[in-house]
C-alpha cells in the first residue's frame, strides 16, 4: 500500500530524521468513517513528538508519542483547548499496533484510530484537503507509561495539507520524503510549514520592542519637538528626519510581526489587522500630509488642511498603535501563557506616563503662546498710539494712555505769570 503522505523532519543539530505517515483505507475514504492508520518515527534525542489532525492543535485529535520502559513507547491521545498543555482524552479510540516500540534507539508508533475521520469543527479529516500539524521536543527520554505525563513546550512545530482521497488505501509503500529545512524540490503535500519555537519567541520579543518604542516613545516625543522648539527649521531639520527614523523602526517591527502571524497562522487576527491600519497610516498617509503641508507653508507661511489633518491623524494613529500594543500582550498571552505578568504592567505604566507628558507639554505651549499673543497685542496697541504715555496708578494696574496736554497742564500753569 502506498502512503497518503510521508513527512520527514530532518533534525539538523543531530543529523537524524523524524517522520510521520498517514494511510486511509479505501473504504474509509469512500464512506467518510472507519479506521485510519498512522506511523510515527523519531530518533534518539527526541523527548516527545506528536501528530495532530487539523492545521492547529485545537482542531482535532493529537497523537503524542514518548518512550516507555522495556523499549516500549507510550501513545497519549489528547485534545487541546488553547495554547496550553493538551489533556488526555480517553474518548479517542486509538491503539498501538504490532511493530511499535524502540528499535536501535528509534521510537516507532504504528497507530490505528477508529474515530478520527472528523475534526472538532465537523469537517472531514480524510478528504481532498486534509490538514495536519506536528510538533516535537528534544531532550532525554521520558520513559513513562503515564498517558497524562507533563510535557514541555515543543521546540519545533509545523503543518501541511494532504489529498487523502487521491492516495487512499495504498498501505504505506514507497513513502515520500520531505526535509524539515525548506526544500526546492517537489513535495507530495501542500502548504508546508516548519517553525522553530526558539526563533518564534525571539521574533515575538523583537516585534514587541520595536513597535512599542516607535509608537509609545518616538512618535509622540518627536511630535512634541514642534512645541518645545518652535522654529521654521524644526520641521525640516529635526521633526521630519526623526519621524522618518521612527517610521522605519515601526515598519521593521511590522515586518517581524507579519512573520510571527504567519508562523501562528493568524494573519487575519484582530491584532494584526489593527497593526496593518496603524502602520499603513504612519508609513504612507502621514508622510504625504506632512510634505504637502510643508510645501504649502513655504509658499504662504500659513497652515492648511494638510497640516491639521497631519497633526490629528498622527495623534490618532499613535494612540491606535499604543492601544494595539496592549491588545498584543493579551493576544500573545492566549498563544503563549508563559509571558511574564510584569511585561504588560510595565507597558501600561510607560504609556500612562507618556500620555501625561504629552498633555503637559501641549498645555504648557498653549499657555505660553497665549501670553506671547497677549504681549504682542499690547505692543501693537501702544505703537499704534505713538509715544508711550504716562502710567496711571489705577486700581486694576492696566496701562492707560494719558494725553500729553492733560499731563503737562499743571506744569504749564505753574510757570504762567
Amino acid at each position: 500500500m502506498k502512503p497518503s503522505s510521508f513527512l520527514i523532519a530532518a533534525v539538523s543539530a543531530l543529523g537524524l530524521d523524524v517522520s510521520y505517515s498517514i494511510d486511509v483505507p479505501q473504504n474509509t475514504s469512500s464512506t467518510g468513517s472507519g479506521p485510519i492508520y498512522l506511523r510515527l518515527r523519531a530518533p534518539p534525542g527526541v523527548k516527545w513528538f506528536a501528530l495532530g489532525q487539523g492545521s492547529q492543535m485545537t482542531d482535532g485529535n493529537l497523537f503524542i508519542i514518548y518512550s516507555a520502559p522495556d523499549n516500549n513507547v507510550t501513545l497519549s491521545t489528547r485534545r487541546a483547548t488553547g495554547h496550553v498543555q493538551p489533556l488526555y482524552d480517553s474518548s479517542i479510540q486509538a491503539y498501538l499496533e504490532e511493530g511499535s516500540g524502540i528499535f536501535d534507539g528509534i521510537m516507532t508508533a504504528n497507530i490505528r484510530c477508529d474515530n478520527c475521520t472528523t475534526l472538532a469543527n465537523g469537517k472531514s479529516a480524510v478528504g481532498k484537503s486534509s490538514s495536519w500539524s506536528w510538533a516535537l521536543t528534544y531532550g532525554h527520554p521520558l520513559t513513562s507509561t503515564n498517558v497524562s505525563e507533563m510535557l514541555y513546550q515543543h521546540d519545533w512545530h509545523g503543518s501541511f495539507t494532504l489529498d487523502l482521497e487521491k492516495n487512499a488505501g495504498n498501505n504505506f509503500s514507497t513513502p515520500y520524503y520531505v526535509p524539515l529545512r525548506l526544500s526546492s524540490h517537489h513535495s507530495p503535500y501542500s502548504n508546508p510549514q516548519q517553525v522553530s519555537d526558539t526563533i518564534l519567541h525571539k521574533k515575538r520579543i523583537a516585534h514587541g520592542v520595536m513597535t512599542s518604542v516607535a509608537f509609545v516613545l518616538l512618535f509622540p516625543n518627536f511630535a512634541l519637538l514642534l512645541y518645545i522648539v518652535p522654529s521654521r527649521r524644526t520641521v525640516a531639520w529635526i521633526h521630519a528626519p526623526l519621524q522618518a527614523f521612527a517610521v522605519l523602526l515601526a515598519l521593521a517591527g511590522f515586518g517581524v510581526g507579519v512573520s510571527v502571524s504567519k508562523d501562528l497562522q493568524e494573519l487575519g487576527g484582530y491584532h494584526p489587522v489593527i497593526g496593518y491600519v496603524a502602520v499603513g497610516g504612519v508609513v504612507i498617509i502621514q508622510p504625504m500630509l506632512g510634505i504637502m503641508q510643508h510645501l504649502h507653508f513655504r509658499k504662504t507661511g500659513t497652515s492648511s488642511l494638510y497640516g491639521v489633518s497631519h497633526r490629528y491623524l498622527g495623534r490618532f494613529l499613535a494612540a491606535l498603535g499604543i492601544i494595539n500594543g496592549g491588545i498584543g500582550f493579551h493576544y500573545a498571552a492566549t498563544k503563549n501563557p508563559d509571558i511574564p505578568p510584569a511585561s504588560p504592567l510595565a507597558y501600561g505604566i510607560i504609556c500612562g506616563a507618556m500620555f501625561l507628558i504629552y498633555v503637559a507639554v501641549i498645555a504648557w505651549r498653549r499657555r505660553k503662546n497665549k501670553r506671547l499673543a497677549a504681549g504682542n497685542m499690547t505692543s501693537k496697541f501702544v505703537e499704534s498710539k505713538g509715544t508711550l504715555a504716562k502710567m496711571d496708578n489705577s486700581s486694576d494696574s492696566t496701562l492707560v494712555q494719558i494725553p500729553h496736554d492733560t499731563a503737562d497742564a499743571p506744569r504749564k500753569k505753574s510757570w504762567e505769570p
Side-chain angles (χ1 to χ4, degrees), residues 285-303:
I285 301 176
Q286 278 296 90
M288 292 175 59
L289 291 174
I291 292 172
M292 295 301 293
Q293 165 57 28
H294 182 65
L295 295 176
H296 176 84
F297 183 82
R298 289 181 62 181
K299 290 181 178 180
T300 66
T302 62
S303 183

Side-chain angles (χ1 to χ4, degrees), residues 12-314:
S12 58
L14 302 175
L16 300 169
D17 294 329
V18 174
S19 65
Y20 307 91
S21 56
I22 304 118
D23 183 63
V24 180
Q26 187 68 50
N27 187 57
T28 300
S29 178
S30 59
T31 62
S33 63
I36 64 172
Y37 298 90
L38 312 172
R39 179 180 294 164
L40 287 67
R41 303 185 68 193
V46 174
K47 194 179 191 72
W48 64 263
F49 65 120
L51 181 66
Q53 294 181 295
S55 59
Q56 301 185 52
M57 288 195 308
T58 56
D59 288 342
N61 306 319
L62 298 175
F63 308 94
I64 302 176
I65 304 298
Y66 41 89
S67 63
D70 302 323
N71 288 328
N72 292 317
V73 294
T74 297
L75 167 62
S76 177
T77 52
R78 305 194 183 197
R79 291 186 189 273
T81 57
H83 284 262
V84 294
Q85 180 179 229
L87 301 177
Y88 173 70
D89 188 341
S90 60
S91 67
I92 303 173
Q93 300 172 15
Y95 318 96
L96 288 173
E97 293 200 319
E98 185 179 355
S100 300
I102 301 177
F103 309 100
D104 296 327
I106 297 176
M107 287 188 287
T108 300
N110 295 323
I111 304 169
R112 168 179 170 154
C113 185
D114 293 334
N115 63 344
C116 294
T117 57
T118 305
L119 299 178
N121 58 13
K123 294 183 178 180
S124 173
V126 295
K128 195 173 185 64
S129 180
S130 177
S131 296
W132 296 80
S133 58
W134 57 269
L136 62 89
T137 291
Y138 310 135
H140 296 293
L142 284 175
T143 315
S144 171
T145 58
N146 181 9
V147 293
S148 297
E149 184 73 32
M150 176 72 69
L151 301 178
Y152 294 94
Q153 187 174 0
H154 44 71
D155 296 323
W156 281 85
H157 71 276
S159 62
F160 54 94
T161 302
L162 303 171
D163 182 355
L164 294 181
E165 291 182 353
K166 181 178 179 180
N167 293 308
N170 290 324
N171 205 20
F172 292 127
S173 64
T174 318
Y176 296 97
Y177 296 91
V178 182
L180 177 64
R181 294 183 296 273
L182 295 180
S183 173
S184 60
H185 73 266
H186 175 72
S187 61
Y189 59 85
S190 60
N191 303 321
Q193 182 192 41
Q194 300 96 12
V195 178
S196 166
D197 291 277
T198 301
I199 296 175
L200 176 60
H201 178 67
K202 292 179 179 179
K203 288 195 292 187
R204 277 174 163 164
I205 294 175
H207 166 68
V209 169
M210 286 190 288
T211 52
S212 295
V213 169
F215 280 94
V216 178
L217 298 178
L218 301 190
F219 285 132
N221 280 309
F222 293 163
L224 288 178
L225 290 175
L226 296 174
Y227 296 87
I228 298 173
V229 190
S231 168
R232 293 176 62 90
R233 295 186 177 182
T234 300
V235 172
W237 293 93
I238 301 177
H239 174 74
L242 291 179
Q243 289 290 40
F245 170 76
V247 166
L248 292 176
L249 184 64
L251 191 59
F254 171 77
V256 176
V258 169
S259 178
V260 171
S261 297
K262 187 177 180 180
D263 288 344
L264 298 174
Q265 302 182 48
E266 294 285 349
L267 286 171
Y270 56 89
H271 175 66
V273 169
I274 296 174
Y276 303 154
V277 176
V279 175
V282 299
V283 171
I284 301 174
I285 301 176
Q286 278 296 90
M288 292 175 59
L289 291 174
I291 292 172
M292 295 301 293
Q293 165 57 28
H294 182 65
L295 295 176
H296 176 84
F297 183 82
R298 289 181 62 181
K299 290 181 178 180
T300 66
T302 62
S303 183
S304 67
L305 182 60
Y306 299 122
V308 174
S309 301
H310 179 75
R311 183 187 312 122
Y312 287 100
L313 181 61

